[in-house]
Structures are given as C-alpha cells and as structure tokens.
Amino acid sequence: MLKDFMTGTTAKLTLDGKTYELPVIKGSQGEMAIDIRNLRAETGYITLDSGYMNTGSCSSSITFLDGEKGVLNYRGYAIEDLANNCSFVEVCYLLIHGSLPTGEQLRRFSTLLNYYALIHEDMVHFFDHFPPGAAPMSILGSMVNSLSTYYPEMADNPLEDLDNMAARLLSKVRTIAAFSYRKNMGSPLVMPRHDLSYCANFLNMMFDSPVNPYVANDDVVAALNKLLILHADHEQNCSTSTVRLVGSARVNLYSSISAGINALWGPLHGGANQAVMDMLEEIHANGGDYRKYVEKAKDRNDPFRLVGFGHRVYKNNDPRATIIGKACDSVLKSLGRENDPLLAIARELEQVALNDSYFIERKLYPNVDFYSGIIYRAIGIPANMFTVMFALGRLPGWIAHWTEMWGDTNWRIGRPRQVYTGPVSREFVPLKDR
Ligand code: CMC
C-alpha cells in the first residue's frame, strides 16, 4: 500500500563522502516523509530520535491530524461534523470499519453491544479482591487483560469476526468501567440494560440505585457522547503506539489494549484530565490566585506545569478543546451549575495563559483535558474515574489501530534501535574480590 504513496523523488544523504538516495513518500494529505527503512543496511547508521518527535512508526488510514492548523479527521470526516451529528457507536463503527454504518449495520452492531454487555460471573468476583479504594484505572487494566483468559480463541484468526470482537470489547469495557467505580464506592453493582443507548446505559450502571433510581438527563447523555467521540482516536499517541507495539509481537487484542490502558494512565497523557481538576481545586482552595500558578509554570526552577496546556502535536489550537469548551458551557447551564467556581478559574487561567508571551512563544494552548474534567465533575463522575472515561472513549481507536496493524502485509515486530553509551569493555572481577 505504501508504494502507492512513493513520489519517485529521493532525499540525498552524504555520509563519509558517499551519497545515498532515500525515497520520499507523500501521504494523502500532503505529509512528506523520508523512507529510511533500508538506511542501516545500506549505511551502517541508525537515526536517533528520543521521544519519536520526527519518527513515523507506521502508515495508517485511520486518523489525520494537522497540529499546525488544528485539524483532526477520523477516516476523512472532520471531528466537528462527527461530534455534532453522530452517536459514539457510529464513530466506533467508522473507526473500526473505515466507513460510517448504514441504518442496518448500526442496528446490528448495537444489538451485538447489547448482547455482550455482561461479563463472566467469575470476573464479577474479581472485583471483590482488589483492596478498598483501588484506583479504577488499575482495576480496568487488570480486568481487560484477564478478558484474554475468557476469550483465548480469538488469538487464532482475530480479523475473521471483527464485529463480534470489537463489540465484545467495547461493551464489556463499559461494564467493567462502571463496576470498578461501584466497587470503589462500596456500592452494589448495577447490571447493563438492553433498552438504553451506549452512553445512557453507562451512566445508569454508574449512578442507578435501588433506593434512588437514576434518570439520565438528555443533555448529560449528549455531552458524554460528544466527549467519547472527541477522545476516540488521535493517531500515534503514547497509548495507541503502545497498543500497536505490544500487538506487533502478535499479542491478543485484550492484552495489547490492557497495555494501552496502562500507558494512558500517565499524568502526561490521559492522566492529565484528573491532574487538571486537582490543580483547579488547589487554586480554588488557596484563594483562587491563578496568576501565581501561571508564574510557577513559567519558572524554570519549578517543576510545576500548567496541566491541560500544551500538546506534542497541536501548535495552534486543539480542535477538541474548542468543542469541549463550548459543550462545557451548555452542560453546566443545563445542570444549573454555570457558577461552578472551578469553571470560572479555568476561564481566567485560559485567558491569562493565552495572552502571556511564555505560552505564546511556546505555542501552548488548552488541550482536550482542560475542560473535560469540569464536565465529568458536573455530571457526577469522580476525579479518579476521569482517565477511565478517556480509556472508554479511546477504545475504538485502539481497536482500529490494532486491527490495522494486524492485517498489514508489511507488518514487522516493533523493535527500535539505540545508541549504546555504556562502558566498552570491563575486566570481570569475581564476587569474592569485589
Ligand atoms: N506548562 C508550562 N510550560 C510548559 C507546559 C505546560 N503545561 N507544556 C510545555 N511547557 C514548556 C516546556 O517547559 C518547554 O519549555 P522550554 O522550551 O523553555 O524548555 C516547552 O514548553 C516545550 O515543552 P515540551 O515538554 O518539550 O513539549 P512536549 O511536546 O514534549 O510535551 C506535553 C507535551 C503535553 C507533555 C506538555 O505540554 C505537558 O506536560 N503538558 C501538561 C500535561 C498535559 O496537559 N497533558 C495532556 C496532553 S493532551 C491529552 C493527550 O493527548 O494525552
């Protein structure tokens, strides 16, 4: 497939007086790349790129983003169109299959989501053996990994039955996520219902109670739907690259995604939404002096960073943050919480940072996590569940990438090189002489 994108031109590299020609590739959106796949074999050199700032690890037809222009497309559709017009389930289908579902395809896929919503009874007992207060994100990673013990058959030919495999995971992760919260709270588990949409069902499993029945507010369901769509994929981010790398060793979908969940947990990645709320609450508790925190973030001798600002690829604006910022206003209004003091601090902080030369020069803008936590908090989701919510949203993206990687005829196990900087040769000293 990549051969269709070869431009026929080459880049020239001169090393030790010899010139090598490296093929140039042009992606479908005009992204230029130098193909170095034969570099080491031909020259003996490798490239060094810590943090993969300039390294394309694969070609992919799932998501396009242009960080300079603030563009994000899934399978060619603008994120704004999808977030404003689709259900999360339609977007899952789109990411995994490559096209939006017809009415019949959507009905069949939704039926499968309903069919797979329960988890094995043995797995329900697993929840009893995590310590009280266990982090839901940690429970989620462990439970998703253990799904591979219940569905080992998928290791043989996983792409044969993509709909079942994807629906099973999307549905069970929703149930596991809600159960991990209930367990964390010491509350009885609420079973999934066949008559609710994907998002309403999740909210019901989270908040319904025999003594206080939960009735989902339409605006809350719509806001959750939007948040999940906005998080659904983001090309080769840390967790997705992890899913692909682990999967490249021919690891099953569940274990590969469990690895992705653990990568997402980091505070510089999906853990940032929880860290944003911690930061806003701290500013509020300390009298609301947000300017002090902006100064701390600018101080090179202070490790503090303004969480929810900056992104490795977005250097103009994060289009997801723009959509979430607007959704945040409307959902808080609908819930009568437009005077949330944390929202006021977030707005002030955003304005100060956007007009400060430190942030302007470094192209640091609010990212997707800056407002998502405020919405989650308003709909009753506690901070330790925020990253679980991110995982729930990112799941279709991980499935799509794992599937694409698995079916790639050019697939090879992921195995970066390194530049060794340790001792060259040391004389061995036996233990008794050390
Ligand atoms: N507050 C203050 N300074 C910052 C921030 C920040 N949030 N982010 C970056 N900088 C500064 C950084 O100190 C550096 O300054 P200098 O050039 O003077 O050394 C410069 O900006 C470039 O930063 P970097 O760390 O080299 O950039 P990166 O691309 O490696 O890191 C990032 C990207 C998202 C990890 C980083 O911006 C950050 O730590 N942000 C806060 C955490 C956060 O909000 N993460 C969520 C990301 S969005 C969700 C997701 O996709 O995972």
Side-chain angles (χ1 to χ4, degrees), residues 268-270 272 297 300 305-312 320 358 362 364 367-369:
L268 295 188
H269 190 11
R300 281 184 166 278
R305 279 188 169 192
L306 215 50
V307 205
F309 274 79
H311 197 278
R312 170 59 61 81
R320 304 166 302 170
Y358 174 96
R362 289 168 182 75
L364 302 170
N367 59 46
V368 68
D369 287 324

Side-chain angles (χ1 to χ4, degrees), residues 36-183:
I36 59 158
R37 280 175 293 177
N38 294 325
L39 183 69
R40 187 169 177 276
E42 287 178 11
T43 67
Y45 284 70
I46 63 164
T47 55
L48 181 62
D49 186 21
S50 310
Y52 311 120
M53 305 280 282
N54 308 285
T55 297
S57 60
C58 61
S59 62
S60 175
S61 60
I62 301 170
T63 287
F64 171 74
L65 74 86
D66 182 333
E68 272 70 35
K69 296 194 182 126
V71 170
L72 173 63
N73 296 342
Y74 299 160
R75 301 283 192 184
Y77 294 101
I79 189 66
E80 292 80 6
D81 287 339
L82 296 172
N84 291 327
N85 298 298
C86 285
S87 69
F88 176 60
V89 174
E90 279 176 271
V91 171
C92 291
Y93 193 98
L94 169 70
L95 285 168
I96 294 163
H97 284 281
S99 54
L100 283 166
T102 61
E104 175 55 20
Q105 287 167 332
L106 183 62
R107 194 193 56 72
R108 253 190 292 131
F109 195 56
S110 303
T111 304
L112 287 178
L113 288 170
N114 179 43
Y115 177 74
Y116 286 121
L118 292 171
I119 56 171
H120 195 288
E121 271 305 296
D122 290 352
M123 281 189 78
V124 176
H125 296 300
F126 290 0
F127 286 102
D128 296 333
H129 302 285
F130 288 103
M137 196 61 180
S138 179
I139 296 179
L140 184 69
S142 313
M143 296 296 273
V144 171
N145 197 21
S146 47
L147 282 174
S148 58
T149 63
Y150 289 89
Y151 305 101
E153 74 281 2
M154 66 138 292
D156 300 336
N157 203 351
L159 301 193
E160 250 179 13
D161 200 5
L162 185 56
D163 263 357
N164 276 295
M165 179 179 76
R168 184 189 276 149
L169 194 56
L170 286 163
S171 195
K172 290 190 191 304
V173 168
R174 174 185 55 176
T175 306
I176 292 169
F179 283 11
S180 65
Y181 165 71
R182 303 290 295 203
K183 273 289 166 192

Side-chain angles (χ1 to χ4, degrees), residues 53 231 234 237-239 264 266-273 275-276 294 296-300 303-315 318 320 358-359 362-365 367-370 390 394:
M53 305 280 282
H231 284 89
H234 214 231
N237 57 86
C238 178
S239 56
L264 185 72
L268 295 188
H269 190 11
N273 54 12
V276 169
V294 174
K296 264 167 78 66
K298 288 159 57 178
D299 182 353
R300 281 184 166 278
F304 175 79
R305 279 188 169 192
L306 215 50
V307 205
F309 274 79
H311 197 278
R312 170 59 61 81
V313 289
Y314 290 122
K315 300 299 173 196
D318 180 341
R320 304 166 302 170
Y358 174 96
F359 290 85
R362 289 168 182 75
K363 300 186 162 92
L364 302 170
Y365 298 89
N367 59 46
V368 68
D369 287 324
F370 192 62
F390 194 154
R394 186 54 54 86

